Amino acid sequence: MPTEKNNADMNLNTQILIAAILGLAFGFLLTMYPDTAFVKHSLYGLGILSSVFIGLLKMLLVPLIFSSIVVGVSNLQAGGQLGPVWKITFLCCLTTTTLALILGISCAHLFEVGRGIDISIFQTSMQNYQAPDSLNPASFFTNFIQNTLINPFKAFSDGNVLAVVVFALFVGVALVQGGERFKSIRLLSHQFFEMMMLLVGWVMKLAPLGIFALLAKLMATEDISVLSRLAEFAVVVTGTTIFHGAVVLPLLLWIFGRMSPWTFFKGTRTALITAFATSSSSATMPLSMKCAQENLGVRPQTAGFVIPLGTQLNMDGTALYEAAAALFVANLVGLDLNLTQQIIVCLTAMIASLGAPGIPSAGMVTMIMVLQSVGLPAEAIAILLPIDRLLDTVRTVVNVQGDMMISVVVDRYTKDKDISA
Ligand code: ASP
């Protein structure tokens, strides 16, 4: 029987869908009147609206990640489930990312992306590009450790999500180890987490407006014409990413999570559209968690552990993109990567997707590492940069989808083992 709450959710979902369509249409309208005062004022207004929406989501991000992991870990640990949940989460992340990488590489081969393109048309973008400092897996790991094991207060204030995740994992385990002694801190964490979720509910009410503004701005300010020059690559990468999100992940979900794709997509629409509009899995995380818990029926302790962790570490869309883009660049410069080099590309893309923060175009930065791993010129990302913001929309959706899907599978396999209930 439909409840009042379900109706309210349905309304919000419909509003978000309509807002997304209207946003794209309005953005397109703005492109037809370039350099007019109307466009200038509209962009200013849209900029403010989208900053408010993203700002509110970011405001909640660090306290929400911290409290949800502390609560998730302490509940799982108390129920004797941390071990299984951790292992299944890791296995799922590894499987889906590997499949994404294989798909990315295979499709790039199949369609021979980048072969025969006259590189001279990209000379201008190459000239404007400043080569970054060398980024190799060894220095990447050193940076990774140096940025992760740090003062938690600094991590909170800098919004360093990975460091917050690590600290929260320790606190969650310690809370359970301490037993009765830390009972009040456990209760406080629970209540704090519930309060954060209430705030997420408030921000969600703004989602239609925020999504309208974000998509209108994206449509009006991105140079779609560049897309046509790189059309083949863009279509192949986008098509493959969509295939991963629409076929591979739902199939795995159906087999291992026993959930129909329809139920999944219906329940996660809000988070997926927000991911598309914000191109940030971190900004979308509060909504992913809400959708997983309330619409997919994932237990709070599982969602509270898997989703924040997945947001940071599980990025199928990014991994797929980076592997395909490396092959694209290799073809552009006329280099045939042998099997070993392709495996190196895949492994580096996997590490790169682990380290990429869930923010717009983060994958572009870690892409440098992938290119350099097989001696491809890092400068080549200048070619990809102009279309990155557009491609980022779809890969972020798949990143977010993967996290919610894994939470369903993990929850199913660990439900029976719940000894705390
Ligand atoms: N924007 C992506 C995300 O937030 C990361 C990337 O650039 O690939 O998940």
PDB file of all heavy atoms in Angstrom, residues 279-282 315 317-318 356-364 388 392 395-396 399, ligand 1:
ATOM      1  N   SER A 279      28.710  15.480 -11.472  1.00  0.00           N
ATOM      2  CA  SER A 279      29.974  14.801 -11.830  1.00  0.00           C
ATOM      3  C   SER A 279      30.829  14.597 -10.597  1.00  0.00           C
ATOM      4  O   SER A 279      32.056  14.671 -10.665  1.00  0.00           O
ATOM      5  CB  SER A 279      30.779  15.597 -12.864  1.00  0.00           C
ATOM      6  OG  SER A 279      30.208  15.480 -14.110  1.00  0.00           O
ATOM      7  N   SER A 280      30.200  14.364  -9.473  1.00  0.00           N
ATOM      8  CA  SER A 280      30.982  14.152  -8.257  1.00  0.00           C
ATOM      9  C   SER A 280      30.333  13.059  -7.416  1.00  0.00           C
ATOM     10  O   SER A 280      29.219  13.236  -6.913  1.00  0.00           O
ATOM     11  CB  SER A 280      31.054  15.459  -7.467  1.00  0.00           C
ATOM     12  OG  SER A 280      31.495  15.210  -6.159  1.00  0.00           O
ATOM     13  N   SER A 281      31.050  11.939  -7.269  1.00  0.00           N
ATOM     14  CA  SER A 281      30.453  10.886  -6.447  1.00  0.00           C
ATOM     15  C   SER A 281      30.474  11.268  -4.971  1.00  0.00           C
ATOM     16  O   SER A 281      29.632  10.823  -4.216  1.00  0.00           O
ATOM     17  CB  SER A 281      31.080   9.505  -6.682  1.00  0.00           C
ATOM     18  OG  SER A 281      32.361   9.566  -7.154  1.00  0.00           O
ATOM     19  N   SER A 282      31.442  12.100  -4.581  1.00  0.00           N
ATOM     20  CA  SER A 282      31.457  12.545  -3.177  1.00  0.00           C
ATOM     21  C   SER A 282      30.234  13.391  -2.872  1.00  0.00           C
ATOM     22  O   SER A 282      29.555  13.183  -1.867  1.00  0.00           O
ATOM     23  CB  SER A 282      32.703  13.372  -2.891  1.00  0.00           C
ATOM     24  OG  SER A 282      33.816  12.545  -2.904  1.00  0.00           O
ATOM     25  N   MET A 315      35.559   2.893  -8.422  1.00  0.00           N
ATOM     26  CA  MET A 315      35.156   3.769  -9.531  1.00  0.00           C
ATOM     27  C   MET A 315      35.277   3.028 -10.852  1.00  0.00           C
ATOM     28  O   MET A 315      36.282   3.139 -11.556  1.00  0.00           O
ATOM     29  CB  MET A 315      36.026   5.017  -9.549  1.00  0.00           C
ATOM     30  CG  MET A 315      35.836   5.910  -8.362  1.00  0.00           C
ATOM     31  SD  MET A 315      36.600   7.494  -8.615  1.00  0.00           S
ATOM     32  CE  MET A 315      36.165   8.313  -7.104  1.00  0.00           C
ATOM     33  N   GLY A 317      33.535   3.457 -13.624  1.00  0.00           N
ATOM     34  CA  GLY A 317      33.471   4.368 -14.774  1.00  0.00           C
ATOM     35  C   GLY A 317      34.824   5.012 -15.035  1.00  0.00           C
ATOM     36  O   GLY A 317      35.282   5.103 -16.183  1.00  0.00           O
ATOM     37  N   THR A 318      35.479   5.418 -13.964  1.00  0.00           N
ATOM     38  CA  THR A 318      36.777   6.083 -14.098  1.00  0.00           C
ATOM     39  C   THR A 318      37.827   5.099 -14.612  1.00  0.00           C
ATOM     40  O   THR A 318      38.609   5.422 -15.508  1.00  0.00           O
ATOM     41  CB  THR A 318      37.211   6.668 -12.729  1.00  0.00           C
ATOM     42  OG1 THR A 318      36.167   7.528 -12.287  1.00  0.00           O
ATOM     43  CG2 THR A 318      38.504   7.442 -12.826  1.00  0.00           C
ATOM     44  N   ALA A 356      41.635   8.356  -7.112  1.00  0.00           N
ATOM     45  CA  ALA A 356      40.952   9.563  -7.595  1.00  0.00           C
ATOM     46  C   ALA A 356      39.861   9.976  -6.609  1.00  0.00           C
ATOM     47  O   ALA A 356      39.024   9.150  -6.257  1.00  0.00           O
ATOM     48  CB  ALA A 356      40.338   9.291  -8.963  1.00  0.00           C
ATOM     49  N   PRO A 357      39.884  11.224  -6.159  1.00  0.00           N
ATOM     50  CA  PRO A 357      38.786  11.649  -5.277  1.00  0.00           C
ATOM     51  C   PRO A 357      37.497  11.771  -6.086  1.00  0.00           C
ATOM     52  O   PRO A 357      37.560  11.923  -7.307  1.00  0.00           O
ATOM     53  CB  PRO A 357      39.259  13.016  -4.780  1.00  0.00           C
ATOM     54  CG  PRO A 357      40.272  13.485  -5.752  1.00  0.00           C
ATOM     55  CD  PRO A 357      40.849  12.273  -6.427  1.00  0.00           C
ATOM     56  N   GLY A 358      36.360  11.689  -5.426  1.00  0.00           N
ATOM     57  CA  GLY A 358      35.088  11.736  -6.156  1.00  0.00           C
ATOM     58  C   GLY A 358      34.654  13.138  -6.513  1.00  0.00           C
ATOM     59  O   GLY A 358      33.576  13.569  -6.120  1.00  0.00           O
ATOM     60  N   ILE A 359      35.507  13.840  -7.244  1.00  0.00           N
ATOM     61  CA  ILE A 359      35.161  15.213  -7.638  1.00  0.00           C
ATOM     62  C   ILE A 359      35.257  15.349  -9.161  1.00  0.00           C
ATOM     63  O   ILE A 359      35.868  14.501  -9.805  1.00  0.00           O
ATOM     64  CB  ILE A 359      36.091  16.248  -6.956  1.00  0.00           C
ATOM     65  CG1 ILE A 359      37.555  15.902  -7.253  1.00  0.00           C
ATOM     66  CG2 ILE A 359      35.853  16.296  -5.457  1.00  0.00           C
ATOM     67  CD1 ILE A 359      38.525  16.965  -6.778  1.00  0.00           C
ATOM     68  N   PRO A 360      34.659  16.413  -9.739  1.00  0.00           N
ATOM     69  CA  PRO A 360      34.687  16.514 -11.199  1.00  0.00           C
ATOM     70  C   PRO A 360      36.106  16.493 -11.752  1.00  0.00           C
ATOM     71  O   PRO A 360      37.002  17.130 -11.212  1.00  0.00           O
ATOM     72  CB  PRO A 360      34.020  17.862 -11.475  1.00  0.00           C
ATOM     73  CG  PRO A 360      33.161  18.106 -10.291  1.00  0.00           C
ATOM     74  CD  PRO A 360      33.868  17.472  -9.131  1.00  0.00           C
ATOM     75  N   SER A 361      36.264  15.734 -12.813  1.00  0.00           N
ATOM     76  CA  SER A 361      37.529  15.628 -13.553  1.00  0.00           C
ATOM     77  C   SER A 361      38.705  15.098 -12.750  1.00  0.00           C
ATOM     78  O   SER A 361      39.851  15.239 -13.181  1.00  0.00           O
ATOM     79  CB  SER A 361      37.912  16.979 -14.170  1.00  0.00           C
ATOM     80  OG  SER A 361      37.003  17.274 -15.191  1.00  0.00           O
ATOM     81  N   ALA A 362      38.445  14.466 -11.632  1.00  0.00           N
ATOM     82  CA  ALA A 362      39.554  13.904 -10.848  1.00  0.00           C
ATOM     83  C   ALA A 362      40.279  12.843 -11.663  1.00  0.00           C
ATOM     84  O   ALA A 362      41.497  12.704 -11.601  1.00  0.00           O
ATOM     85  CB  ALA A 362      39.027  13.284  -9.567  1.00  0.00           C
ATOM     86  N   GLY A 363      39.510  12.107 -12.467  1.00  0.00           N
ATOM     87  CA  GLY A 363      40.085  11.049 -13.278  1.00  0.00           C
ATOM     88  C   GLY A 363      41.131  11.575 -14.258  1.00  0.00           C
ATOM     89  O   GLY A 363      42.070  10.869 -14.631  1.00  0.00           O
ATOM     90  N   MET A 364      40.960  12.821 -14.667  1.00  0.00           N
ATOM     91  CA  MET A 364      41.904  13.423 -15.609  1.00  0.00           C
ATOM     92  C   MET A 364      43.281  13.582 -14.980  1.00  0.00           C
ATOM     93  O   MET A 364      44.300  13.448 -15.647  1.00  0.00           O
ATOM     94  CB  MET A 364      41.398  14.820 -15.993  1.00  0.00           C
ATOM     95  CG  MET A 364      40.599  14.869 -17.235  1.00  0.00           C
ATOM     96  SD  MET A 364      41.587  14.560 -18.691  1.00  0.00           S
ATOM     97  CE  MET A 364      41.102  12.931 -19.077  1.00  0.00           C
ATOM     98  N   ASP A 388      36.388  16.414 -21.325  1.00  0.00           N
ATOM     99  CA  ASP A 388      36.338  15.638 -20.091  1.00  0.00           C
ATOM    100  C   ASP A 388      35.099  15.913 -19.249  1.00  0.00           C
ATOM    101  O   ASP A 388      34.479  15.001 -18.701  1.00  0.00           O
ATOM    102  CB  ASP A 388      37.582  15.868 -19.239  1.00  0.00           C
ATOM    103  CG  ASP A 388      37.566  14.953 -18.046  1.00  0.00           C
ATOM    104  OD1 ASP A 388      37.560  13.731 -18.265  1.00  0.00           O
ATOM    105  OD2 ASP A 388      37.470  15.435 -16.900  1.00  0.00           O
ATOM    106  N   ASP A 392      32.699  13.020 -18.074  1.00  0.00           N
ATOM    107  CA  ASP A 392      32.695  12.797 -16.630  1.00  0.00           C
ATOM    108  C   ASP A 392      31.281  12.528 -16.095  1.00  0.00           C
ATOM    109  O   ASP A 392      31.091  11.781 -15.134  1.00  0.00           O
ATOM    110  CB  ASP A 392      33.290  14.041 -15.951  1.00  0.00           C
ATOM    111  CG  ASP A 392      33.769  13.745 -14.540  1.00  0.00           C
ATOM    112  OD1 ASP A 392      33.715  12.573 -14.129  1.00  0.00           O
ATOM    113  OD2 ASP A 392      34.191  14.689 -13.847  1.00  0.00           O
ATOM    114  N   ARG A 395      30.514   8.729 -16.521  1.00  0.00           N
ATOM    115  CA  ARG A 395      31.342   7.816 -15.723  1.00  0.00           C
ATOM    116  C   ARG A 395      31.064   7.983 -14.227  1.00  0.00           C
ATOM    117  O   ARG A 395      31.139   7.027 -13.466  1.00  0.00           O
ATOM    118  CB  ARG A 395      32.823   7.937 -16.064  1.00  0.00           C
ATOM    119  CG  ARG A 395      33.520   9.205 -15.698  1.00  0.00           C
ATOM    120  CD  ARG A 395      35.033   9.081 -15.979  1.00  0.00           C
ATOM    121  NE  ARG A 395      35.737  10.227 -15.443  1.00  0.00           N
ATOM    122  CZ  ARG A 395      36.239  11.214 -16.161  1.00  0.00           C
ATOM    123  NH1 ARG A 395      36.114  11.196 -17.456  1.00  0.00           N
ATOM    124  NH2 ARG A 395      36.859  12.224 -15.580  1.00  0.00           N
ATOM    125  N   THR A 396      30.677   9.200 -13.817  1.00  0.00           N
ATOM    126  CA  THR A 396      30.340   9.390 -12.404  1.00  0.00           C
ATOM    127  C   THR A 396      29.059   8.626 -12.052  1.00  0.00           C
ATOM    128  O   THR A 396      28.954   8.048 -10.974  1.00  0.00           O
ATOM    129  CB  THR A 396      30.186  10.893 -12.073  1.00  0.00           C
ATOM    130  OG1 THR A 396      31.354  11.571 -12.524  1.00  0.00           O
ATOM    131  CG2 THR A 396      30.001  11.128 -10.594  1.00  0.00           C
ATOM    132  N   ASN A 399      30.093   5.169 -11.520  1.00  0.00           N
ATOM    133  CA  ASN A 399      30.828   5.065 -10.250  1.00  0.00           C
ATOM    134  C   ASN A 399      29.856   4.941  -9.079  1.00  0.00           C
ATOM    135  O   ASN A 399      29.981   4.086  -8.208  1.00  0.00           O
ATOM    136  CB  ASN A 399      31.699   6.302 -10.016  1.00  0.00           C
ATOM    137  CG  ASN A 399      32.897   6.357 -10.951  1.00  0.00           C
ATOM    138  OD1 ASN A 399      33.226   5.370 -11.577  1.00  0.00           O
ATOM    139  ND2 ASN A 399      33.548   7.501 -11.032  1.00  0.00           N
TER     140      ASN A 399
HETATM  141  N1  ASP B   1      34.031  12.630 -11.360  1.00  0.00           N
HETATM  142  C1  ASP B   1      34.300  11.270 -10.985  1.00  0.00           C
HETATM  143  C2  ASP B   1      33.582  10.951  -9.693  1.00  0.00           C
HETATM  144  O1  ASP B   1      33.328  11.837  -8.914  1.00  0.00           O
HETATM  145  C3  ASP B   1      35.743  10.983 -10.840  1.00  0.00           C
HETATM  146  C4  ASP B   1      36.408  11.088 -12.190  1.00  0.00           C
HETATM  147  O2  ASP B   1      36.790  12.182 -12.592  1.00  0.00           O
HETATM  148  O3  ASP B   1      36.490  10.078 -12.891  1.00  0.00           O
HETATM  149  O4  ASP B   1      33.276   9.825  -9.422  1.00  0.00           O
END
